[in-house]
Amino acid sequence: MMESSSRPDVRRTTTKMASMTAVSVFLLCCFAVASVASQDCDQFAATGRSFNVSLGRKWDSNANLKWKFKDAIIFYKRQGTVITGKIEDINTDGSFKLTNVRKDQEGLYSTEVYDQSGKGQPTKSIKLCVLDPVKKPKVEATCEDKNVIIKCIPDKQPKDVEYRWLKNGVEMKKETKLSFEVKAAETKADKFACKFSNKASSEVSDAVAHNCTKTDCDQFAATGRSFNVSLGYALKKTDTLKWKFEDTIIFYKRKELVNSGKIDDINADGSLKRTNVGKDQAGLYTAEVHDQEGREQTKKSIKLCVLDPVKKPKVITTCKDKNVNITCIPDKQPKDVEYEWLKNGAKMEKEKKLSFEVKAAETKADKFACKFFNKASSEVSEAVAHNCAKTAIPGLPDELWGIPIWYILGGGGGIVLLLIIIVIVCCVQTRRTRKLRLKDEEELRLEWTNTEQHHHHHHHLPPLPNHPPPHHPHNQQQQQQQQQAPGNTGPRQSRSKQNRQPRPKAPEPNSQPQPSPRRALQAQKHANDADEEQPPPLPQPRKKGPKTQVD
């Protein structure tokens, strides 16, 4: 019986031990997988940003260096000469530069380093993982009675991100949720921010301070100025109004009769006028209103606090190369003042300091002002525009109708240059045409003169033997005159009519130039010389016409 009862206990013990062993093995496997996963990547980079893959060792700039990505050489420098890649691909410490990182740049990078003698160092491999960058979160504060709820709005974040809370720049290790609650009075001077991060990037929200602490003052007035202590009730003419300051009646009107104070001490709505406010006017004001039958309509207590007014600040601009430094000079301001920047009358949410820089070219048309304020008053400086964006040409704007002034000047200059070239070409062409026309006219005159001399020579010389006389109307006319009967005493034609030949006309100015007659004459002359050799024209004596006899 004892043996049978002990066997189940042994089995239970064995089963428990086996289950514990299985759990232990499972936890060890999970831990091993987690450790392997964490050790899988040596370095992390964020997409769209720049990253340097570190060399992980000391490197002499004179040594030979080879970078590989997935067995492909991406940079190789040997004996001071870059064989593969560019010298800008690495830093002075030998690390490899990556700009605008992409997912396809994730993988195994390896380096080989050799000194000048060829002695190499051990090859080192770096596995780079590329992750999406985190986005900037936002913090909001909500007042609830005497407490404040601080909440972090993460926006759309990538996977595997972590977050933590910061209070005045120091990590809040106890706060592990996206929202928590604090006492308003205890944290009125604190600023809260939340930080999101992964292994490749991190972003911190703007630090936020709440405004949930209630003061004992209901209304605020500035010293030396006018102020109206509001009644908060629609007063009627028949109502009875009583104003007290620290249990002292300062104004009392019953129906339309003023018993204490002056009618000018209140406004039409029943609010109490305070002029040239002093610090002694700070305190508790009480208003009581009754109708004409004596029934109470309202009773209100207002604690008035009097503060020193803020002073008007001043803004100055300082040019720095292509930037502008905008500075607000606050002068001597009272305590508990706040300030903000205005750009063209709108609040600049990102600017939290009294001085900041902007691009001169991007803000040349903007005006900046700073505003100081407290709960009683506010002052805004004069809006200031800088003059640091100097134009290339004094007196001319940078743009005209949205077009850069250089484009307009360049286009106008190009048009003027084109017109000048056209005028020059036209002048040269006109002069050349005129010169050719004069030359053709001169050649026509010379041709006409040579033609006259040639006809005259043939008229006086007999034709050579074995050659028929040239057919010419002038010679034929002379033969007909010689064959006339001797007794024919008819009138003889004058010499001028006999030798009259039609002259070639000069080409008109608008007609196209004709081919040079000199060349045509030379061609004809060469053709005639092939048949017979023409003697040069002989000078002939001038013949006198026959004298008429008078019977």
Side-chain angles (χ1 to χ4, degrees), residues 227-229 243 250-251 265-267 270-274 285:
F227 184 79
N228 295 325
V229 184
W243 274 101
I250 57 176
F251 180 83
D265 290 342
I266 63 169
N267 296 298
S271 58
L272 181 67
K273 293 181 182 179
R274 300 280 85 180
Y285 289 81

Side-chain angles (χ1 to χ4, degrees), residues 31-310:
F31 178 76
V33 170
S35 62
V36 169
S38 62
Q39 295 178 357
D40 191 19
C41 299
D42 300 305
Q43 298 179 26
F44 296 87
T47 56
R49 301 184 182 181
S50 298
F51 185 78
N52 295 325
V53 184
S54 62
L55 186 62
R57 66 183 75 181
K58 293 183 178 180
W59 179 64
D60 184 6
S61 59
N62 296 322
N64 301 331
L65 176 63
K66 183 186 292 185
W67 273 97
K68 290 183 179 180
F69 175 61
K70 295 180 180 179
D71 296 330
I73 299 175
I74 55 177
F75 180 83
Y76 185 28
K77 179 184 176 185
R78 182 179 180 183
Q79 296 180 355
T81 302
V82 178
I83 300 174
T84 304
K86 298 180 294 184
I87 192 62
E88 293 84 5
D89 292 339
I90 62 168
N91 296 298
T92 55
D93 59 354
S95 58
F96 189 76
K97 295 180 183 179
L98 292 176
T99 56
N100 193 16
V101 178
R102 305 181 306 272
K103 290 283 187 178
D104 58 357
Q105 291 177 317
E106 181 180 67
L108 188 65
Y109 291 79
S110 59
T111 60
E112 297 178 7
V113 180
Y114 302 88
D115 58 17
Q116 294 182 350
S117 62
K119 184 178 180 181
Q121 298 181 10
T123 302
K124 186 174 182 179
S125 299
I126 303 103
K127 184 170 183 181
L128 179 67
C129 293
V130 179
L131 305 177
D132 292 326
V134 298
K135 297 182 180 179
K136 188 174 182 178
K138 184 180 178 181
V139 172
E140 290 182 349
T142 305
C143 302
E144 282 194 0
D145 296 332
K146 296 181 180 180
N147 298 330
V148 186
I149 297 176
I150 310 295
K151 183 178 181 181
C152 182
I153 301 174
D155 204 354
K156 294 181 180 180
Q157 299 290 351
K159 297 180 180 180
D160 302 328
V161 295
E162 300 177 356
Y163 66 89
R164 62 189 66 181
W165 280 101
L166 304 176
K167 179 181 176 181
N168 300 323
V170 180
E171 182 181 352
M172 302 175 68
K173 295 182 179 180
K174 293 183 179 180
E175 302 300 337
T176 57
K177 296 182 179 181
L178 288 174
S179 179
F180 62 94
E181 193 173 287
V182 293
K183 297 290 184 181
E186 297 175 359
T187 57
K188 61 181 180 180
D190 297 326
K191 290 186 176 182
F192 298 90
C194 62
K195 178 180 179 181
F196 274 75
S197 62
N198 59 11
K199 294 182 179 180
S201 61
S202 65
E203 289 288 347
V204 182
S205 70
D206 293 330
V208 172
H210 66 81
N211 192 22
C212 300
T213 54
K214 293 184 178 180
T215 62
D216 295 333
C217 302
D218 299 304
Q219 297 181 24
F220 296 86
T223 56
R225 301 185 181 181
S226 298
F227 184 79
N228 295 325
V229 184
S230 62
L231 178 62
Y233 173 78
L235 185 66
K236 300 176 182 178
K237 290 183 179 182
T238 58
D239 291 337
T240 299
L241 174 62
K242 184 187 293 185
W243 274 101
K244 291 182 180 181
F245 175 61
E246 303 288 354
D247 297 329
T248 301
I249 298 174
I250 57 176
F251 180 83
Y252 182 36
K253 181 182 81 74
R254 186 173 183 179
K255 294 183 180 180
E256 296 184 0
L257 181 63
V258 178
N259 296 327
S260 296
K262 298 180 294 183
I263 193 62
D264 297 333
D265 290 342
I266 63 169
N267 296 298
D269 59 355
S271 58
L272 181 67
K273 293 181 182 179
R274 300 280 85 180
T275 57
N276 193 17
V277 177
K279 291 290 182 82
D280 57 350
Q281 291 176 318
L284 185 64
Y285 289 81
T286 305
E288 297 178 4
V289 179
H290 297 80
D291 60 12
Q292 57 184 354
E293 296 179 357
R295 291 176 296 192
E296 184 179 300
Q297 299 298 312
T298 184
K299 186 176 180 179
K300 185 177 182 181
S301 296
I302 304 105
K303 186 173 182 180
L304 179 66
C305 293
V306 179
L307 305 176
D308 292 328
V310 297

